[in-house]
Amino acid sequence: MSQATTHIETIEGEYNLNNYDEIRENFDWSDAKALLSAAKTGKINAAYETIDRHVDEGYGDKIALHYINEGEKRSYTFKEVKDQTDHYARILKRHGVTRGDRVFVFLPKTPECYIAILAVIKVGAIAGPLFEAFMEDAVRDRINDCDGTLLITDQQLVKRVPKKDIPSLETTLFVEDIEKEPLQPVDGDDYVEWVDWEDGLIIHYTSGSTGKPKGVLHAHRAAQHHIVTGKWVLDIKDDDVYWCTSHPGWVTGSVYGLFAPLLNRATVVIQGGRFSAENWYSLIEELGVTIWYSAPTAFRMLLSKGDLYKDYDLSSVRHVLSVGEPLNPEVIQWAWNSLNVRIHDTWWMTETGGHLIVNLPAEKIKPGSMGRSFPGIQVGILDEEGNELPHGEVGQLAVRTPWPGLMKEIWGNQDKFKSYFQYKGWYISGDLALQDEEGYVFFQGRNDDMINSAGERIGPFEVESKLIEHTAVEEAGVIGKPDELRGELVKAFITLRSGYQESEQLLEEIRLYVRKNLSAHAAPREIEVMDELPKTKISGKILRRQLKALEIERANKVKN
Ligand code: 6R9
């Protein structure tokens, strides 16, 4: 058991005087709904709630977005974002986009990416944001799976869109062209399509341990979950400058990079370009970031830069959060000692649509734990029969259904959808965990073969499929190898076809093949050639668990 005994206690009254005991006690999801203006009407539009509403309520001049990328800096007020989303919406409508259509957005982390997503939602269509590093296969599989009809991209990324293999795709729009068109607001024009709470909002493709990525569809009702967790977990107040480092192609980037902060009228920072400790620290200093949401790998990268933080004034930061992978106590300790902040871990998944296990500001943090269930959420640790286990025992991490952010469906895959709900009244996460007497939950790993590298979900099957497409590869088994910086790194065990000789050059070629066709983050960092892969006797399936055990055994040998 990895239960930690040392606590960093609360910073009593430092910045947050909310009475969380009272909040936990009195919480009701109807309070979350009441935060939305749509609560008063039968219909909703999450894009309206996110942007237009604030303009209607008199905050049009407030800064909604700051964009910063290698010296380039732009800012947009809520009114400007509204006008821009109207502009995009007008063009989408001109191209015949209607309620329920799947419209993909394949753009780098720029204001146009955020605006495009919001415009799609505004006209009642379902937004399909794609991560900017995706290569041809990843793009094709996703758009094909849900028959996307329109794509918003740019002249660079379109090179990775194999249009001829995507029959449903009728229209491709380029931001360069959209931006060139004059903004022509027609008085009285309104592009907001009022939809039902159950209507589709956004579709995120995410990996599991088998098969291709699945399309997790969320409904507009999730806005209740977004707004209330933005208020209590992100702790957004009116003068906050909020920065989430994730791209909206990942669920953290859409829910907590876009919806939750803007629903709460925060000023949101969008940082373009790659990670660099210097750029990150200077961004915080320059824009006066107050709330910062990132991932353990990023924090570990900053930690590895030693005293660099001392060169910057980071005193604006008052609240820091983490998600996506286990947050090690060392990192919490580092942030506490060097940056003088606590890192608040949060646990949730693409499928859950919003935070479920959290550390509320000013509540006690137990390093090593992911926190406690959000008010209104009940966590259970279940055995293999679906019975609840006592405190301290490791089992399947489950959550009582339903809650507003919970996915609506897995696109075109009822069986997969049902597999999350095999025990009546519970959602099964696929994670293993234990819970202590105070309700703190301690992550113990995955219950399947899914890989988590730098907080990103990678399906071994997808990588294996790509590997065996290479002419030299006979068979492949892909696992997450424990790694200090990234949590896990993608490691492939392969056998070679006869006639091929192992060489550095060949392995590099295979690696680049996956990188070029699938994506950089899924490409194996290590490839090991074996004479034979371990397999089950009966079905001949590759035993990933055995490969993983081998790696863990090797790592332990090095340590001892
Ligand atoms: C939001 C997001 C979900 C999986 C999840 C778990 C892992 C997420 C974590 C964490 C340890 C945390 N995970 N948060 N593990 N501590 N605080 O990450 O969604 O990409 O769908 O990944 O990530 O294994 O099941 P997603």
Side-chain angles (χ1 to χ4, degrees):
M1 281 203 302
S2 66
Q3 195 158 335
T5 47
T6 50
H7 300 178
I8 297 175
E9 295 289 342
T10 37
I11 317 164
E12 293 292 348
E14 176 95 338
Y15 66 81
N16 209 310
L17 298 171
N18 295 320
N19 184 341
Y20 289 103
D21 288 338
E22 217 166 90
I23 290 164
R24 282 183 184 283
E25 198 125 312
N26 302 328
F27 185 85
D28 191 290
W29 282 109
S30 64
D31 302 340
K33 186 169 187 178
L35 296 170
L36 296 168
S37 70
K40 298 179 208 89
T41 69
K43 300 273 183 180
I44 182 174
N45 184 294
Y48 173 85
E49 299 284 341
T50 306
I51 299 293
D52 302 34
R53 171 195 183 169
H54 305 309
V55 178
D56 287 351
E57 291 179 357
Y59 296 91
D61 292 337
K62 187 178 174 186
I63 299 289
L65 302 175
H66 282 307
Y67 172 60
I68 196 158
N69 185 11
E70 318 259 329
E72 186 189 355
K73 203 176 144 194
R74 284 184 263 153
S75 299
Y76 297 73
T77 63
F78 276 96
K79 175 72 168 67
E80 285 166 333
V81 176
K82 177 190 179 301
D83 290 347
Q84 284 290 331
T85 52
D86 281 344
H87 177 65
Y88 278 60
R90 187 161 43 242
I91 294 169
L92 289 173
K93 288 215 158 183
R94 204 167 69 210
H95 283 90
V97 172
T98 55
R99 189 164 164 178
D101 287 353
R102 276 76 60 207
V103 175
F104 280 83
V105 176
F106 188 29
L107 289 171
K109 228 195 289 152
T110 55
E112 290 73 28
C113 177
Y114 289 55
I115 287 163
I117 293 169
L118 286 167
V120 172
I121 296 168
K122 194 174 238 182
V123 301
I126 298 168
L130 296 171
F131 184 48
E132 59 186 306
F134 283 159
M135 304 306 273
E136 284 206 5
D137 290 9
V139 172
R140 185 197 57 217
D141 286 353
R142 286 162 174 79
I143 307 180
N144 270 341
D145 183 69
C146 65
D147 297 320
T149 52
L150 191 143
L151 170 71
I152 304 175
T153 186
D154 66 18
Q155 300 288 353
Q156 279 309 312
L157 292 180
V158 75
K159 294 174 189 159
R160 297 195 224 134
V161 182
K163 281 195 226 163
K164 60 176 187 346
D165 302 332
I166 312 176
S168 62
L169 194 60
E170 291 161 10
T171 314
T172 303
L173 300 178
F174 296 99
V175 278
E176 290 91 342
D177 298 338
I178 297 176
E179 292 293 317
K180 253 186 252 149
E181 271 195 47
L183 286 184
Q184 279 176 322
V186 181
D187 257 358
D189 258 10
D190 184 359
Y191 301 95
V192 178
E193 177 85 21
W194 297 99
V195 299
D196 295 326
W197 293 76
E198 276 303 321
D199 271 4
L201 170 74
I202 194 163
I203 186 162
H204 277 288
Y205 277 82
T206 191
S207 301
S209 55
T210 55
K212 290 200 172 185
K214 314 281 186 295
V216 178
L217 179 67
H218 287 288
H220 279 255
R221 63 170 147 78
Q224 303 164 74
H225 197 157
H226 302 164
I227 197 167
V228 79
T229 49
K231 184 177 162 70
W232 294 127
V233 185
L234 304 179
D235 195 43
I236 291 168
K237 305 278 195 303
D238 225 4
D239 45 7
D240 276 311
V241 178
Y242 173 92
W243 181 32
C244 166
T245 57
S246 180
H247 183 281
W250 305 119
V251 76
T252 301
S254 69
V255 172
Y256 292 107
L258 198 175
F259 301 132
L262 290 173
L263 283 165
N264 284 284
R265 222 194 304 125
T267 294
V268 163
V269 174
I270 305 172
Q271 181 250 355
R274 292 181 69 84
F275 171 87
S276 117
E278 288 81 0
N279 286 351
W280 276 31
Y281 283 146
S282 64
L283 179 154
I284 291 175
E285 180 178 275
E286 188 177 342
L287 296 177
V289 170
T290 57
I291 308 178
W292 182 24
Y293 198 0
S294 197
T297 295
F299 294 126
R300 287 191 289 264
M301 286 175 171
L302 295 173
L303 185 158
S304 74
K305 294 281 175 180
D307 281 349
L308 182 68
Y309 71 90
K310 290 186 176 158
D311 298 347
Y312 301 86
D313 178 3
L314 307 174
S315 57
S316 59
V317 178
R318 69 165 178 88
H319 191 43
V320 182
L321 305 106
S322 173
V323 69
E325 39 170 337
L327 178 66
N328 22 352
E330 293 80 356
V331 176
I332 297 188
Q333 207 66 54
W334 162 77
W336 182 239
N337 296 340
S338 55
L339 308 183
N340 196 24
V341 291
R342 310 190 320 162
I343 303 182
H344 300 74
D345 199 7
T346 56
W347 177 90
W348 60 295
M349 305 175 67
T350 307
E351 294 87 334
T352 74
H355 295 146
L356 295 184
I357 297 173
V358 300
N359 286 279
L360 292 174
E363 281 195 322
K364 179 171 67 185
I365 285 176
K366 295 188 183 182
S369 153
M370 310 193 286
R372 293 195 287 168
S373 56
F374 184 75
I377 294 292
Q378 190 196 330
V379 162
I381 306 293
L382 309 187
D383 68 15
E384 291 303 319
E385 271 82 53
N387 305 309
E388 272 189 82
L389 289 165
H391 295 305
E393 279 188 37
V394 178
Q396 309 185 70
L397 176 53
V399 183
R400 271 254 175 256
T401 55
W403 63 89
L406 179 60
M407 64 178 161
K408 178 181 158 68
E409 64 183 63
I410 301 283
W411 193 271
N413 196 336
Q414 261 295 319
D415 288 347
K416 177 69 192 171
F417 182 73
K418 281 193 195 136
S419 71
Y420 292 92
F421 306 99
Q422 52 184 295
Y423 307 116
K424 202 171 163 6
W426 294 103
Y427 162 85
I428 300 291
S429 67
D431 285 357
L432 298 171
L434 64 87
Q435 197 170 23
D436 72 10
E437 284 75 20
E438 288 180 290
Y440 283 78
V441 181
F442 293 77
F443 180 78
Q444 304 289 310
R446 280 291 298 180
N447 199 19
D448 60 20
D449 295 336
M450 194 183 85
I451 300 165
N452 187 334
S453 183
E456 277 159 18
R457 270 167 82 162
I458 298 164
F461 177 79
E462 233 192 327
V463 187
E464 289 162 1
S465 307
K466 190 61 26 202
L467 281 164
I468 56 176
E469 272 179 27
H470 190 279
T471 46
V473 182
E474 173 91 42
E475 288 183 311
V478 171
I479 59 147
K481 171 180 166 175
D483 179 73
E484 283 215 348
L485 187 62
R486 293 186 161 72
E488 289 182 331
L489 58 79
V490 180
K491 167 145 193 183
F493 292 87
I494 59 168
T495 57
L496 292 176
R497 284 179 186 280
S498 60
Y500 285 92
Q501 280 296 318
E502 179 179 349
S503 71
E504 289 268 329
Q505 198 193 344
L506 178 65
L507 297 189
E508 183 59 13
E509 188 192 303
I510 296 170
R511 208 177 67 77
L512 286 178
Y513 180 78
V514 180
R515 197 185 158 88
K516 224 178 115 232
N517 290 289
L518 194 58
S519 76
H521 76 281
R525 285 191 176 249
E526 279 182 26
I527 302 180
E528 181 173 331
V529 178
M530 293 183 119
D531 292 335
E532 213 181 320
L533 297 181
K535 290 189 189 147
T536 54
K537 280 212 177 69
I538 302 164
S539 57
K541 267 201 232 156
I542 293 168
L543 278 166
R544 296 190 190 114
R545 269 158 220 226
Q546 204 159 313
L547 295 168
K548 184 150 186 159
L550 173 75
E551 276 305 332
I552 291 170
E553 194 186 316
R554 284 177 183 166
N556 288 343
K557 259 193 204 139
V558 175
K559 265 190 220 146
N560 297 333

